[in-house]
Amino acid sequence: MLSNPGYLAIAAMSAIASLARPAYGQSSNITLFAPPAPLPFLHIELAVAASTFVTDLDGTTGQANNQGGNITGAFSGEILKLGTEFETYPTIANFTESLYDNVFTVNTTDGTPILMSISAHIHYTENALGGASLLLHGFGRIEFQTDSKNYLYLNYGDYIAEFEAVYPSGHASMDVFELKSSGHRA
Ligand SMILES: *[C@@H]1O[C@H](CO)[C@@H](O)[C@H](O)[C@H]1NC(C)=O
Ligand SMILES: *[C@@H]1O[C@H](CO)[C@@H](O)[C@H](O)[C@H]1NC(C)=O
Ligand SMILES: *[C@@H]1O[C@H](CO)[C@@H](O)[C@H](O)[C@H]1NC(C)=O
Ligand SMILES: *[C@@H]1O[C@H](CO)[C@@H](O)[C@H](O)[C@H]1NC(C)=O
C-alpha cells in the first residue's frame, strides 16, 4: 500500500475512483446462487512502511517490508515484521488501480505461526502520485496455511478481505470475512 510520497496531501474522502465498466444485470435473475453471506471473521490493524518503486516495461511495482500488526476476532495474534508487499500499478490505470500481493506471518496469542496470503485489488481515489487526496480501498482473497490441528480449518475456509488506508497514516485497517453459501437463488 502506497504510503510514502511526501508531496501528497490528504483531502476529504471522495468517491472511489474506478475505470469505466459496462452495466450488467445486477438485480436480475442471472445467477444460480443467492448472494453468499460474508461473516465477520477477523479485524486487523496493520503498520505500513514507505514503498520503494521500480518501474519496468509493464508499469511500476512498489515494495514495502511488512511492519507488523494486530489481529482480533476468530483468533487473536500479531502479524510479525516479516516479508514484503508487492504492489503493481499497471501503466494504463495511471496510478489509480493496483494489484497487491503479500504473505503475512501471523503469531497467534497461543504461539501458533500461520501464513496468511492476500491477493487484492487496490483502488485509489486519485492518481496516487499526482492527486490531492489519497484514500485507498480494496478487496482481496485471503488464504491461510498451517498444520496446527487447532487451526486446520483455516486451510480450507473461504475468506475475503476488505480494507482501507489513508495516506500518510502508515496504517491500514482490514476486515476478513468468511464466505458462507446462501444456497440457490429462490
Ligand atoms: C428473468 O427476469 C426477467 C425480467 O423479470 C424475465 O423476463 C425473464 O424471463 C427471467 N428469466 C428467467 C430465466 O427466469
Ligand atoms: C498492536 O498492538 C500494540 C500493543 O497494543 C501496539 O503498540 C501497536 O501499535 C499495535 N500495532 C498496530 C499496527 O496497530
Ligand atoms: C509467538 O507468541 C508466543 C506466545 O505469545 C511467544 O512466546 C513467541 O515468542 C512469539 N514468537 C514470535 C516469533 O514472535
Ligand atoms: C495521470 O494522472 C495525472 C495526475 O492526476 C494527470 O495529470 C495525467 O494527465 C494522467 N495521465 C493520463 C494518461 O491520464
Side-chain angles (χ1 to χ4, degrees):
M1 296 173 197
L2 192 71
S3 74
N4 73 330
Y7 48 85
L8 288 170
I10 300 212
M13 185 169 168
S14 58
I16 304 296
S18 59
L19 300 176
R21 68 195 60 165
Y24 63 99
Q26 206 159 17
S27 60
S28 74
N29 46 17
I30 55 171
T31 59
L32 169 63
F33 293 102
L39 305 177
F41 191 69
L42 300 174
H43 177 76
I44 302 175
E45 289 296 323
L46 275 179
V48 181
S51 293
T52 297
F53 297 99
V54 175
T55 297
D56 67 12
L57 296 176
D58 296 325
T60 299
T61 299
Q63 294 176 63
N65 292 335
N66 295 327
Q67 298 300 304
N70 298 315
I71 301 181
T72 52
F75 59 84
S76 297
E78 62 173 348
I79 288 179
L80 302 181
K81 268 181 99 169
L82 285 174
T84 301
E85 65 172 50
F86 283 83
E87 185 174 2
T88 300
Y89 301 84
T91 303
I92 197 167
N94 195 20
F95 290 97
T96 61
E97 305 284 350
S98 73
L99 311 174
Y100 175 92
D101 288 289
N102 204 337
V103 181
F104 294 106
T105 303
V106 172
N107 188 25
T108 63
T109 45
D110 63 14
T112 304
I114 297 172
L115 294 179
M116 185 180 81
S117 305
I118 177 168
S119 182
H121 297 162
I122 300 182
H123 317 292
Y124 291 86
T125 52
E126 304 283 344
N127 174 298
L129 295 183
S133 67
L134 189 54
L135 180 111
L136 62 81
H137 174 269
F139 287 106
R141 173 83 191 260
I142 298 267
E143 293 185 338
F144 297 96
Q145 291 165 261
T146 175
D147 74 347
S148 166
K149 69 176 184 339
N150 289 339
Y151 296 98
L152 274 184
Y153 71 96
L154 292 174
N155 293 280
Y156 312 111
D158 297 298
Y159 306 100
I160 55 167
E162 180 168 9
F163 55 89
E164 66 179 18
V166 178
Y167 174 83
S169 60
H171 278 88
S173 297
M174 182 185 301
D175 287 333
V176 177
F177 297 91
E178 182 176 15
L179 281 181
K180 291 289 187 194
S181 178
S182 300
H184 285 169
R185 189 170 53 77

PDB file of all heavy atoms in Angstrom, residues 52-82:
ATOM      1  N   THR A  52       9.097   1.405  -1.907  1.00  0.00           N
ATOM      2  CA  THR A  52      10.160   1.705  -2.865  1.00  0.00           C
ATOM      3  C   THR A  52       9.674   1.253  -4.231  1.00  0.00           C
ATOM      4  O   THR A  52       9.146   0.148  -4.366  1.00  0.00           O
ATOM      5  CB  THR A  52      11.452   0.958  -2.488  1.00  0.00           C
ATOM      6  OG1 THR A  52      11.881   1.432  -1.217  1.00  0.00           O
ATOM      7  CG2 THR A  52      12.546   1.199  -3.521  1.00  0.00           C
ATOM      8  N   PHE A  53       9.818   2.106  -5.247  1.00  0.00           N
ATOM      9  CA  PHE A  53       9.221   1.841  -6.550  1.00  0.00           C
ATOM     10  C   PHE A  53      10.264   1.427  -7.582  1.00  0.00           C
ATOM     11  O   PHE A  53      11.360   1.986  -7.629  1.00  0.00           O
ATOM     12  CB  PHE A  53       8.480   3.086  -7.047  1.00  0.00           C
ATOM     13  CG  PHE A  53       7.339   3.469  -6.160  1.00  0.00           C
ATOM     14  CD1 PHE A  53       7.483   4.479  -5.212  1.00  0.00           C
ATOM     15  CD2 PHE A  53       6.135   2.796  -6.242  1.00  0.00           C
ATOM     16  CE1 PHE A  53       6.437   4.822  -4.374  1.00  0.00           C
ATOM     17  CE2 PHE A  53       5.076   3.131  -5.404  1.00  0.00           C
ATOM     18  CZ  PHE A  53       5.228   4.140  -4.473  1.00  0.00           C
ATOM     19  N   VAL A  54       9.869   0.444  -8.371  1.00  0.00           N
ATOM     20  CA  VAL A  54      10.675   0.026  -9.520  1.00  0.00           C
ATOM     21  C   VAL A  54       9.762   0.073 -10.732  1.00  0.00           C
ATOM     22  O   VAL A  54       8.658  -0.485 -10.701  1.00  0.00           O
ATOM     23  CB  VAL A  54      11.212  -1.411  -9.340  1.00  0.00           C
ATOM     24  CG1 VAL A  54      11.943  -1.864 -10.592  1.00  0.00           C
ATOM     25  CG2 VAL A  54      12.106  -1.499  -8.114  1.00  0.00           C
ATOM     26  N   THR A  55      10.188   0.741 -11.777  1.00  0.00           N
ATOM     27  CA  THR A  55       9.377   0.814 -12.992  1.00  0.00           C
ATOM     28  C   THR A  55      10.020  -0.016 -14.087  1.00  0.00           C
ATOM     29  O   THR A  55      11.235   0.046 -14.294  1.00  0.00           O
ATOM     30  CB  THR A  55       9.223   2.279 -13.443  1.00  0.00           C
ATOM     31  OG1 THR A  55       8.531   2.983 -12.419  1.00  0.00           O
ATOM     32  CG2 THR A  55       8.416   2.374 -14.728  1.00  0.00           C
ATOM     33  N   ASP A  56       9.194  -0.836 -14.729  1.00  0.00           N
ATOM     34  CA  ASP A  56       9.687  -1.599 -15.871  1.00  0.00           C
ATOM     35  C   ASP A  56       8.729  -1.397 -17.046  1.00  0.00           C
ATOM     36  O   ASP A  56       7.884  -0.516 -17.012  1.00  0.00           O
ATOM     37  CB  ASP A  56       9.887  -3.080 -15.510  1.00  0.00           C
ATOM     38  CG  ASP A  56       8.576  -3.788 -15.232  1.00  0.00           C
ATOM     39  OD1 ASP A  56       7.501  -3.234 -15.532  1.00  0.00           O
ATOM     40  OD2 ASP A  56       8.624  -4.914 -14.700  1.00  0.00           O
ATOM     41  N   LEU A  57       8.855  -2.225 -18.050  1.00  0.00           N
ATOM     42  CA  LEU A  57       8.075  -2.010 -19.270  1.00  0.00           C
ATOM     43  C   LEU A  57       6.576  -2.183 -19.036  1.00  0.00           C
ATOM     44  O   LEU A  57       5.763  -1.674 -19.799  1.00  0.00           O
ATOM     45  CB  LEU A  57       8.547  -2.960 -20.375  1.00  0.00           C
ATOM     46  CG  LEU A  57       9.995  -2.732 -20.842  1.00  0.00           C
ATOM     47  CD1 LEU A  57      10.382  -3.778 -21.869  1.00  0.00           C
ATOM     48  CD2 LEU A  57      10.161  -1.328 -21.415  1.00  0.00           C
ATOM     49  N   ASP A  58       6.178  -2.912 -17.991  1.00  0.00           N
ATOM     50  CA  ASP A  58       4.761  -3.168 -17.746  1.00  0.00           C
ATOM     51  C   ASP A  58       4.119  -2.170 -16.790  1.00  0.00           C
ATOM     52  O   ASP A  58       2.911  -2.170 -16.603  1.00  0.00           O
ATOM     53  CB  ASP A  58       4.573  -4.575 -17.152  1.00  0.00           C
ATOM     54  CG  ASP A  58       4.994  -5.648 -18.139  1.00  0.00           C
ATOM     55  OD1 ASP A  58       4.779  -5.447 -19.343  1.00  0.00           O
ATOM     56  OD2 ASP A  58       5.546  -6.669 -17.688  1.00  0.00           O
ATOM     57  N   GLY A  59       4.919  -1.395 -16.116  1.00  0.00           N
ATOM     58  CA  GLY A  59       4.352  -0.482 -15.127  1.00  0.00           C
ATOM     59  C   GLY A  59       5.306  -0.323 -13.961  1.00  0.00           C
ATOM     60  O   GLY A  59       6.509  -0.495 -14.099  1.00  0.00           O
ATOM     61  N   THR A  60       4.720  -0.038 -12.811  1.00  0.00           N
ATOM     62  CA  THR A  60       5.524   0.250 -11.622  1.00  0.00           C
ATOM     63  C   THR A  60       5.162  -0.733 -10.522  1.00  0.00           C
ATOM     64  O   THR A  60       3.981  -1.020 -10.302  1.00  0.00           O
ATOM     65  CB  THR A  60       5.250   1.688 -11.137  1.00  0.00           C
ATOM     66  OG1 THR A  60       5.626   2.583 -12.174  1.00  0.00           O
ATOM     67  CG2 THR A  60       6.024   2.014  -9.880  1.00  0.00           C
ATOM     68  N   THR A  61       6.173  -1.249  -9.837  1.00  0.00           N
ATOM     69  CA  THR A  61       5.943  -2.121  -8.690  1.00  0.00           C
ATOM     70  C   THR A  61       6.467  -1.438  -7.437  1.00  0.00           C
ATOM     71  O   THR A  61       7.619  -0.989  -7.401  1.00  0.00           O
ATOM     72  CB  THR A  61       6.644  -3.478  -8.871  1.00  0.00           C
ATOM     73  OG1 THR A  61       6.108  -4.110 -10.023  1.00  0.00           O
ATOM     74  CG2 THR A  61       6.415  -4.381  -7.661  1.00  0.00           C
ATOM     75  N   GLY A  62       5.605  -1.337  -6.428  1.00  0.00           N
ATOM     76  CA  GLY A  62       6.020  -0.823  -5.138  1.00  0.00           C
ATOM     77  C   GLY A  62       6.277  -1.980  -4.188  1.00  0.00           C
ATOM     78  O   GLY A  62       5.507  -2.942  -4.152  1.00  0.00           O
ATOM     79  N   GLN A  63       7.349  -1.887  -3.441  1.00  0.00           N
ATOM     80  CA  GLN A  63       7.640  -2.893  -2.429  1.00  0.00           C
ATOM     81  C   GLN A  63       7.820  -2.196  -1.088  1.00  0.00           C
ATOM     82  O   GLN A  63       8.421  -1.126  -1.023  1.00  0.00           O
ATOM     83  CB  GLN A  63       8.922  -3.656  -2.760  1.00  0.00           C
ATOM     84  CG  GLN A  63       8.831  -4.503  -4.016  1.00  0.00           C
ATOM     85  CD  GLN A  63      10.173  -5.137  -4.330  1.00  0.00           C
ATOM     86  OE1 GLN A  63      10.688  -5.925  -3.555  1.00  0.00           O
ATOM     87  NE2 GLN A  63      10.740  -4.767  -5.457  1.00  0.00           N
ATOM     88  N   ALA A  64       7.300  -2.819  -0.031  1.00  0.00           N
ATOM     89  CA  ALA A  64       7.487  -2.280   1.315  1.00  0.00           C
ATOM     90  C   ALA A  64       7.517  -3.447   2.292  1.00  0.00           C
ATOM     91  O   ALA A  64       6.665  -4.342   2.221  1.00  0.00           O
ATOM     92  CB  ALA A  64       6.354  -1.328   1.666  1.00  0.00           C
ATOM     93  N   ASN A  65       8.475  -3.434   3.170  1.00  0.00           N
ATOM     94  CA  ASN A  65       8.566  -4.515   4.151  1.00  0.00           C
ATOM     95  C   ASN A  65       7.433  -4.409   5.162  1.00  0.00           C
ATOM     96  O   ASN A  65       7.100  -3.318   5.629  1.00  0.00           O
ATOM     97  CB  ASN A  65       9.915  -4.462   4.877  1.00  0.00           C
ATOM     98  CG  ASN A  65      11.064  -4.795   3.949  1.00  0.00           C
ATOM     99  OD1 ASN A  65      10.889  -5.490   2.944  1.00  0.00           O
ATOM    100  ND2 ASN A  65      12.250  -4.296   4.260  1.00  0.00           N
ATOM    101  N   ASN A  66       6.861  -5.552   5.487  1.00  0.00           N
ATOM    102  CA  ASN A  66       5.775  -5.581   6.467  1.00  0.00           C
ATOM    103  C   ASN A  66       6.280  -5.119   7.836  1.00  0.00           C
ATOM    104  O   ASN A  66       7.369  -5.504   8.270  1.00  0.00           O
ATOM    105  CB  ASN A  66       5.196  -6.991   6.564  1.00  0.00           C
ATOM    106  CG  ASN A  66       4.542  -7.410   5.262  1.00  0.00           C
ATOM    107  OD1 ASN A  66       3.988  -6.576   4.546  1.00  0.00           O
ATOM    108  ND2 ASN A  66       4.622  -8.685   4.930  1.00  0.00           N
ATOM    109  N   GLN A  67       5.470  -4.305   8.498  1.00  0.00           N
ATOM    110  CA  GLN A  67       5.880  -3.689   9.762  1.00  0.00           C
ATOM    111  C   GLN A  67       5.158  -4.273  10.967  1.00  0.00           C
ATOM    112  O   GLN A  67       5.369  -3.821  12.077  1.00  0.00           O
ATOM    113  CB  GLN A  67       5.622  -2.179   9.694  1.00  0.00           C
ATOM    114  CG  GLN A  67       6.410  -1.481   8.611  1.00  0.00           C
ATOM    115  CD  GLN A  67       7.908  -1.653   8.807  1.00  0.00           C
ATOM    116  OE1 GLN A  67       8.443  -1.312   9.869  1.00  0.00           O
ATOM    117  NE2 GLN A  67       8.589  -2.205   7.813  1.00  0.00           N
ATOM    118  N   GLY A  68       4.281  -5.243  10.724  1.00  0.00           N
ATOM    119  CA  GLY A  68       3.578  -5.872  11.836  1.00  0.00           C
ATOM    120  C   GLY A  68       2.157  -5.357  11.975  1.00  0.00           C
ATOM    121  O   GLY A  68       1.741  -4.423  11.296  1.00  0.00           O
ATOM    122  N   GLY A  69       1.417  -5.991  12.864  1.00  0.00           N
ATOM    123  CA  GLY A  69       0.030  -5.607  13.070  1.00  0.00           C
ATOM    124  C   GLY A  69      -0.618  -6.489  14.103  1.00  0.00           C
ATOM    125  O   GLY A  69       0.013  -7.403  14.655  1.00  0.00           O
ATOM    126  N   ASN A  70      -1.868  -6.165  14.391  1.00  0.00           N
ATOM    127  CA  ASN A  70      -2.613  -6.885  15.429  1.00  0.00           C
ATOM    128  C   ASN A  70      -3.895  -7.469  14.858  1.00  0.00           C
ATOM    129  O   ASN A  70      -4.570  -6.825  14.069  1.00  0.00           O
ATOM    130  CB  ASN A  70      -2.960  -5.922  16.568  1.00  0.00           C
ATOM    131  CG  ASN A  70      -1.704  -5.373  17.221  1.00  0.00           C
ATOM    132  OD1 ASN A  70      -0.772  -6.123  17.499  1.00  0.00           O
ATOM    133  ND2 ASN A  70      -1.665  -4.069  17.436  1.00  0.00           N
ATOM    134  N   ILE A  71      -4.201  -8.660  15.307  1.00  0.00           N
ATOM    135  CA  ILE A  71      -5.380  -9.387  14.824  1.00  0.00           C
ATOM    136  C   ILE A  71      -6.293  -9.692  15.998  1.00  0.00           C
ATOM    137  O   ILE A  71      -5.843 -10.193  17.032  1.00  0.00           O
ATOM    138  CB  ILE A  71      -4.959 -10.720  14.168  1.00  0.00           C
ATOM    139  CG1 ILE A  71      -4.014 -10.455  12.995  1.00  0.00           C
ATOM    140  CG2 ILE A  71      -6.177 -11.527  13.737  1.00  0.00           C
ATOM    141  CD1 ILE A  71      -3.583 -11.733  12.275  1.00  0.00           C
ATOM    142  N   THR A  72      -7.579  -9.392  15.818  1.00  0.00           N
ATOM    143  CA  THR A  72      -8.582  -9.808  16.800  1.00  0.00           C
ATOM    144  C   THR A  72      -9.733 -10.476  16.060  1.00  0.00           C
ATOM    145  O   THR A  72      -9.931 -10.230  14.876  1.00  0.00           O
ATOM    146  CB  THR A  72      -9.140  -8.601  17.594  1.00  0.00           C
ATOM    147  OG1 THR A  72      -9.586  -7.608  16.664  1.00  0.00           O
ATOM    148  CG2 THR A  72      -8.090  -8.003  18.497  1.00  0.00           C
ATOM    149  N   GLY A  73     -10.485 -11.293  16.746  1.00  0.00           N
ATOM    150  CA  GLY A  73     -11.632 -11.933  16.117  1.00  0.00           C
ATOM    151  C   GLY A  73     -11.672 -13.413  16.393  1.00  0.00           C
ATOM    152  O   GLY A  73     -11.536 -13.847  17.542  1.00  0.00           O
ATOM    153  N   ALA A  74     -11.851 -14.193  15.336  1.00  0.00           N
ATOM    154  CA  ALA A  74     -11.957 -15.648  15.471  1.00  0.00           C
ATOM    155  C   ALA A  74     -10.728 -16.223  16.169  1.00  0.00           C
ATOM    156  O   ALA A  74     -10.801 -17.244  16.847  1.00  0.00           O
ATOM    157  CB  ALA A  74     -12.143 -16.299  14.108  1.00  0.00           C
ATOM    158  N   PHE A  75      -9.598 -15.582  15.971  1.00  0.00           N
ATOM    159  CA  PHE A  75      -8.409 -15.843  16.791  1.00  0.00           C
ATOM    160  C   PHE A  75      -7.684 -14.525  16.959  1.00  0.00           C
ATOM    161  O   PHE A  75      -7.930 -13.569  16.219  1.00  0.00           O
ATOM    162  CB  PHE A  75      -7.500 -16.921  16.169  1.00  0.00           C
ATOM    163  CG  PHE A  75      -6.999 -16.604  14.798  1.00  0.00           C
ATOM    164  CD1 PHE A  75      -5.875 -15.816  14.615  1.00  0.00           C
ATOM    165  CD2 PHE A  75      -7.656 -17.108  13.677  1.00  0.00           C
ATOM    166  CE1 PHE A  75      -5.407 -15.527  13.342  1.00  0.00           C
ATOM    167  CE2 PHE A  75      -7.200 -16.825  12.398  1.00  0.00           C
ATOM    168  CZ  PHE A  75      -6.070 -16.029  12.231  1.00  0.00           C
ATOM    169  N   SER A  76      -6.830 -14.468  17.966  1.00  0.00           N
ATOM    170  CA  SER A  76      -6.070 -13.242  18.217  1.00  0.00           C
ATOM    171  C   SER A  76      -4.593 -13.523  18.022  1.00  0.00           C
ATOM    172  O   SER A  76      -4.130 -14.641  18.224  1.00  0.00           O
ATOM    173  CB  SER A  76      -6.293 -12.748  19.657  1.00  0.00           C
ATOM    174  OG  SER A  76      -7.642 -12.420  19.832  1.00  0.00           O
ATOM    175  N   GLY A  77      -3.881 -12.501  17.645  1.00  0.00           N
ATOM    176  CA  GLY A  77      -2.450 -12.665  17.465  1.00  0.00           C
ATOM    177  C   GLY A  77      -1.841 -11.419  16.889  1.00  0.00           C
ATOM    178  O   GLY A  77      -2.491 -10.373  16.806  1.00  0.00           O
ATOM    179  N   GLU A  78      -0.591 -11.553  16.492  1.00  0.00           N
ATOM    180  CA  GLU A  78       0.060 -10.420  15.862  1.00  0.00           C
ATOM    181  C   GLU A  78       0.638 -10.823  14.519  1.00  0.00           C
ATOM    182  O   GLU A  78       0.907 -12.002  14.274  1.00  0.00           O
ATOM    183  CB  GLU A  78       1.138  -9.826  16.775  1.00  0.00           C
ATOM    184  CG  GLU A  78       2.268 -10.770  17.098  1.00  0.00           C
ATOM    185  CD  GLU A  78       3.391 -10.087  17.873  1.00  0.00           C
ATOM    186  OE1 GLU A  78       3.392  -8.840  17.950  1.00  0.00           O
ATOM    187  OE2 GLU A  78       4.268 -10.801  18.374  1.00  0.00           O
ATOM    188  N   ILE A  79       0.783  -9.839  13.676  1.00  0.00           N
ATOM    189  CA  ILE A  79       1.486 -10.032  12.415  1.00  0.00           C
ATOM    190  C   ILE A  79       2.934  -9.629  12.648  1.00  0.00           C
ATOM    191  O   ILE A  79       3.210  -8.556  13.214  1.00  0.00           O
ATOM    192  CB  ILE A  79       0.814  -9.202  11.303  1.00  0.00           C
ATOM    193  CG1 ILE A  79      -0.525  -9.856  10.957  1.00  0.00           C
ATOM    194  CG2 ILE A  79       1.716  -9.096  10.076  1.00  0.00           C
ATOM    195  CD1 ILE A  79      -1.325  -9.151   9.910  1.00  0.00           C
ATOM    196  N   LEU A  80       3.849 -10.512  12.268  1.00  0.00           N
ATOM    197  CA  LEU A  80       5.270 -10.282  12.537  1.00  0.00           C
ATOM    198  C   LEU A  80       5.874  -9.363  11.476  1.00  0.00           C
ATOM    199  O   LEU A  80       5.335  -9.210  10.375  1.00  0.00           O
ATOM    200  CB  LEU A  80       6.010 -11.621  12.569  1.00  0.00           C
ATOM    201  CG  LEU A  80       5.484 -12.630  13.605  1.00  0.00           C
ATOM    202  CD1 LEU A  80       6.310 -13.919  13.573  1.00  0.00           C
ATOM    203  CD2 LEU A  80       5.497 -12.035  15.009  1.00  0.00           C
ATOM    204  N   LYS A  81       6.990  -8.769  11.861  1.00  0.00           N
ATOM    205  CA  LYS A  81       7.712  -7.887  10.923  1.00  0.00           C
ATOM    206  C   LYS A  81       8.528  -8.724   9.972  1.00  0.00           C
ATOM    207  O   LYS A  81       9.758  -8.781  10.064  1.00  0.00           O
ATOM    208  CB  LYS A  81       8.639  -6.945  11.716  1.00  0.00           C
ATOM    209  CG  LYS A  81       8.026  -5.633  12.089  1.00  0.00           C
ATOM    210  CD  LYS A  81       9.009  -4.754  12.838  1.00  0.00           C
ATOM    211  CE  LYS A  81       9.658  -3.718  11.940  1.00  0.00           C
ATOM    212  NZ  LYS A  81      10.410  -2.720  12.726  1.00  0.00           N
ATOM    213  N   LEU A  82       7.849  -9.424   9.089  1.00  0.00           N
ATOM    214  CA  LEU A  82       8.497 -10.330   8.139  1.00  0.00           C
ATOM    215  C   LEU A  82       7.824 -10.169   6.786  1.00  0.00           C
ATOM    216  O   LEU A  82       6.612 -10.018   6.721  1.00  0.00           O
ATOM    217  CB  LEU A  82       8.313 -11.789   8.570  1.00  0.00           C
ATOM    218  CG  LEU A  82       9.127 -12.316   9.740  1.00  0.00           C
ATOM    219  CD1 LEU A  82       8.675 -13.736  10.074  1.00  0.00           C
ATOM    220  CD2 LEU A  82      10.611 -12.300   9.397  1.00  0.00           C
TER     221      LEU A  82
END
